[in-house]
């Protein structure tokens, strides 16, 4: 399985920087996990192939350019952009984003060939298919309804925590998998801001270390994501201090394969 965290920040010369302000991961050029930077950082060929988007929760950094993506593709789509999310999150996106005020209700529109966007609800705790992937979602601990994901292509398995503070259900789902090749887990705030991290439903490097002790799998690659750009250098330092050989900060724009 190939996964790339799309870059979301460019410098004054137009070059991508390692700062991650928006969340969007592309899996095997086919499926997007969250959609923060989907409209601005996909390659032209990925724009032809990514028609499935799994939305973990409705925070802006995870959906910011989803409406723009559907808008861009409107005339050329031969099949809808499918937005996979829990029923609750589908309703929130309908109410707060695709509401005719913030943006058009694309789930009610079609071009000459096809509806342009479709909500495809899934239930946490039940396996479902998205393109070539088998996916299981589990609730995590954030300030809005949010799920973490376990993704498998039949050969490798990757877990993604999405945004969370200390959590339980997600680890049960991850631990049940026979093997996990990689874990993408958030580390938003430095250790000195642990109170802020807790009330906003996020982890610090130390809290991430504590979460990893709930993980039954060993020897998997662990990539920290969702590092707040203001604290990126400090977060990288604090993550290194955990002394875990296979833990590093995920680099936007780099393709990882398991
Ligand atoms: Zn969030
Ligand atoms: Zn977020």
């Amino acid at each position: 399985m190939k996964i790339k965290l799309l870059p979301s920040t460019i410098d004054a010369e137009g070059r991508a920087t390692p700062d991650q302000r928006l969340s969007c991961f592309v899996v095997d050029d086919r499926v997007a996990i969250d959609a923060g930077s989907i409209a601005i950082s996909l390659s032209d060929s990925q724009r032809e192939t990514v028609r499935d988007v799994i939305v973990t929760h409705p925070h802006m950094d995870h959906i910011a350019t989803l409406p723009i993506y559907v808008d861009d593709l409107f005339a050329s789509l031969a099949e809808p952009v499918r937005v996979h999310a829990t029923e609750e999150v589908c309703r929130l996106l309908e109410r707060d984003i695709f509401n005719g005020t913030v943006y058009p209700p694309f789930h009610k529109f079609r071009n000459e060939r096809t509806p342009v966007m479709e909500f495809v609800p899934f239930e946490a705790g039940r396996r479902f298919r998205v393109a070539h992937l088998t996916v299981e979602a589990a609730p995590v601990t954030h300030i809005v309804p949010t799920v973490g994901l376990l993704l498998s292509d039949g050969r490798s398995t990757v877990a993604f925590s999405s945004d969370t503070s200390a959590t339980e259900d997600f680890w049960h789902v991850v631990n049940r998998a026979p093997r996990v090749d990689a874990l993408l887990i958030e580390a938003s705030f430095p250790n000195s801001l642990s109170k802020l991290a807790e009330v906003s439903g996020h982890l610090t490097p130390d809290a991430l270390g504590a979460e990893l002790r709930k993980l039954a799998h060993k020897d998997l690659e662990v990539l920290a994501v969702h590092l707040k750009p203001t604290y990126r250098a400090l977060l990288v330092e604090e993550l290194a201090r955990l002394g875990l050989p296979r833990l590093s900060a995920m680099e936007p724009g780099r393709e990882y394969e398991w």
Side-chain angles (χ1 to χ4, degrees):
M1 196 187 306
K2 290 184 299 178
I3 301 190
K4 187 191 271 191
L5 166 57
L6 294 187
S8 57
T9 302
I10 51 170
D11 65 18
E13 277 75 49
R15 286 181 301 251
T17 82
D19 289 346
Q20 186 197 348
R21 293 198 163 79
L22 304 173
S23 286
C24 181
F25 303 84
V26 176
V27 183
D28 294 333
D29 299 324
R30 287 181 71 181
V31 176
I33 310 292
D34 287 332
S37 47
I38 191 169
I40 53 177
S41 300
L42 280 186
S43 66
D44 285 346
S45 73
Q46 287 169 332
R47 292 163 76 87
E48 302 287 319
T49 52
V50 175
R51 294 293 176 267
D52 291 281
V53 182
I54 306 175
V55 175
T56 63
H57 69 297
H59 274 157
M60 190 58 94
D61 52 321
H62 298 253
I63 58 150
T65 68
L66 176 60
I68 314 293
Y69 186 59
V70 181
D71 197 345
D72 280 350
L73 297 175
F74 196 104
S76 61
L77 286 167
E79 59 180 302
V81 174
R82 288 170 291 271
V83 177
H84 305 264
T86 60
E87 182 77 45
E88 196 174 17
V89 169
C90 290
R91 296 291 76 84
L92 291 170
L93 292 173
E94 191 175 354
R95 189 192 73 182
D96 296 338
I97 303 295
F98 298 100
N99 56 11
T101 303
V102 173
Y103 231 57
F106 283 138
H107 51 295
K108 296 179 182 163
F109 290 0
R110 47 183 303 129
N111 66 16
E112 286 165 5
R113 277 161 295 189
T114 178
V116 294
M117 190 182 94
E118 189 180 19
F119 286 116
V120 186
F122 61 72
E123 268 179 59
R126 288 178 89 144
R127 279 199 200 133
F128 55 96
R129 293 284 292 183
V130 176
H132 62 304
L133 300 175
T134 304
V135 185
E136 190 168 348
V140 290
T141 312
H142 198 36
I143 49 175
V144 293
T146 303
V147 292
L149 301 170
L150 186 71
L151 314 164
S152 175
D153 65 358
R155 299 215 325 251
S156 45
T157 300
V158 175
F160 170 48
S161 73
S162 191
D163 291 6
T164 190
S165 55
T167 201
E168 299 299 330
D169 291 3
F170 174 68
W171 297 118
H172 296 153
V173 168
V174 174
N175 287 342
R176 267 207 315 266
R179 204 187 83 181
V180 177
D181 299 276
L183 166 69
L184 279 48
I185 180 169
E186 77 124 280
S188 298
F189 291 106
N191 292 327
S192 60
L193 296 179
S194 60
K195 280 279 172 302
L196 174 60
E198 211 177 308
V199 296
S200 59
H202 289 295
L203 296 172
T204 62
D206 281 352
L208 179 154
E211 288 306 288
L212 291 184
R213 288 193 278 278
K214 303 174 186 173
L215 181 63
H217 304 280
K218 307 295 165 203
D219 286 337
L220 73 176
E221 181 160 17
V222 180
L223 294 171
V225 297
H226 209 274
L227 281 64
K228 296 273 182 195
T230 316
Y231 310 112
R232 185 178 174 89
L234 178 57
L235 285 164
V236 168
E237 233 178 272
E238 292 183 349
L239 287 163
R241 256 185 256 147
L242 292 172
L244 302 169
R246 296 203 67 194
L247 167 67
S248 61
M250 191 173 195
E251 295 169 35
R254 173 172 160 195
E255 190 162 77
Y256 293 79
E257 187 165 6
W258 297 282

